[in-house]
Amino acid sequence: MKFATRLNSFPNRSVVETIDQIAAVSGVTHVDLNYPEHFQTNKVEDIKEALTRNNIKLNAINPRFRSDFINGELGNSDPQVARKAIDLCKQSIDVCRELGGEHVIIWLGYEGFDYSFQINYAQVWKQVASAIEEICSYGSDLKISIEYKPFQPRAYSFISSYADTLLMVGDVGASNLGVTLDFCHMLMKDENPSYGLSLVAERNKLHGIHLNDGNKLNDDGLMVGSVNFIQTLEFIFYMKKYNYQGVIYFDTFPVREKPLEELQANIAMFTKLDQLVDQIGIGHIQSIIDRNDAVAAQEIMLACLK
Ligand SMILES: [Mn+2]
């Protein structure tokens, strides 16, 4: 099992110190880094050395668009800003290669709209598709994925669901382009996470998973399995069914919790749910699904409570 966690959960430390701290937790195999924010206090070589020293691998580089992009990133109506957004993704690809990673995850936080008549939907769609195509071509040796979120900070995100993300992936048509699913973002959209996972995985487009939990209408970033237990179990069942071999990144926000303890709790819960799926049996669970019987499906919950 490959696990990664959120560096920003560990405040007041440099990236190198944080890597040292996280690496001490049993089970952690990878880290994700944001570009450029995690490269401001430590050089790439120092981070590389810290990863090697701790036997931790880089999972993904996540380009982070700040205030210059408040009116949109790849689809910005100002061509210079849109070009800067493409360049930031290309720089993220360069850094990812330098650190031996294989995945760049693009979350377009500011791409969207707040008002009716604010943007030209079709034109922005084509502009974003063309930019992503250019990025995928530049990073053709890496996996590139889109992480969608339905809203926040915009009232409406431009890419907001598994459905429009898959539509964008299809329109771009690059073989290295896929989807990163964030469980909490799926809940915000009122999606059933496993349905989305299944549609994405059926198309071999499941590049990444951000696991967490929440109360639906906010990106709460709560601990894995703490609110939506049975939906998390189902999600892990489908991860196993589709033989997901990528990294599980815990995108949780320990604001008041001790971050190392919170990370250990996420690993413990994931491990327990993974074992429960094995104990109940993938084949047995599948046979219950195949009966299309809600009462029979309750047997799975009861088996967890035994
Ligand atoms: Mn996420």
Side-chain angles (χ1 to χ4, degrees), residues 26-27 40 47 62 64 71 94-95 112 143 156 162 166 175 177-178 184 213 226 233 235 260 264 282 297 305:
S26 166
Q40 276 155 355
I47 294 173
N62 302 262
R64 280 289 175 267
N71 201 28
D94 293 340
V95 168
K143 284 187 292 183
Y156 292 88
Y162 56 75
L166 281 174
S175 60
L177 180 63
C184 218
D213 210 343
S226 58
L233 187 84
F235 199 68
L260 280 178
Q264 284 163 334
I282 293 204
L305 296 171

Side-chain angles (χ1 to χ4, degrees), residues 7 10-20 38 41-42:
L7 259 67
F10 297 80
N12 305 317
R13 285 177 177 269
S14 74
V15 168
V16 164
E17 283 175 305
T18 310
I19 292 170
D20 288 340
H38 289 151
T41 50
N42 292 115

Side-chain angles (χ1 to χ4, degrees), residues 171-281:
D171 280 7
V172 172
S175 60
N176 58 333
L177 180 63
V179 183
T180 286
L181 295 174
D182 182 305
F183 193 85
C184 218
H185 297 178
M186 303 183 93
L187 296 173
M188 289 168 76
K189 187 71 175 178
D190 203 20
E191 292 172 343
N192 185 52
S194 296
Y195 181 22
L197 189 156
S198 142
L199 288 183
V200 171
E202 281 287 331
R203 286 157 183 77
N204 288 319
K205 290 297 181 187
L206 184 59
H207 281 2
I209 285 181
H210 284 189
L211 209 53
N212 43 25
D213 210 343
N215 290 289
K216 306 244 163 167
L217 281 175
N218 184 51
D219 194 10
D220 294 322
L222 302 181
M223 284 181 274
V224 173
S226 58
V227 183
N228 297 281
F229 179 85
I230 199 74
Q231 283 185 315
T232 309
L233 187 84
E234 188 189 22
F235 199 68
I236 292 171
F237 164 78
Y238 280 98
M239 280 171 54
K240 291 166 78 74
K241 178 178 166 175
Y242 285 105
N243 194 26
Y244 174 74
Q245 295 292 324
V247 172
I248 295 145
Y249 172 83
F250 299 117
D251 200 354
T252 55
F253 316 144
V255 179
R256 290 164 198 85
E257 297 70 32
K258 292 187 177 128
L260 280 178
E261 289 179 4
E262 193 254 15
L263 169 59
Q264 284 163 334
N266 283 327
I267 293 175
M269 180 59 84
F270 183 90
T271 306
K272 179 69 185 175
L273 295 179
D274 183 66
Q275 285 166 355
L276 280 169
V277 170
D278 284 341
Q279 279 165 18
I280 301 166

Side-chain angles (χ1 to χ4, degrees), residues 5-11 18 34 37-38 64 66 249 254:
T5 194
R6 203 170 156 270
L7 259 67
N8 288 1
S9 302
F10 297 80
T18 310
N34 295 347
E37 73 176 279
H38 289 151
R64 280 289 175 267
R66 296 306 178 198
Y249 172 83

Side-chain angles (χ1 to χ4, degrees), residues 77-124:
S77 56
D78 179 339
Q80 283 186 328
V81 178
R83 178 48 55 188
K84 262 177 81 177
I86 294 175
D87 289 343
L88 190 74
C89 292
K90 289 184 176 177
Q91 288 155 16
S92 301
I93 288 168
D94 293 340
V95 168
C96 186
R97 283 193 190 116
E98 266 188 81
L99 292 174
E102 51 188 42
H103 192 187
V104 170
I105 302 174
I106 301 171
W107 168 53
L108 299 171
Y110 290 123
E111 208 78 80
F113 51 96
D114 310 296
Y115 295 93
S116 293
F117 301 110
Q118 190 174 8
I119 66 165
N120 182 333
Y121 309 113
Q123 185 183 305
V124 173

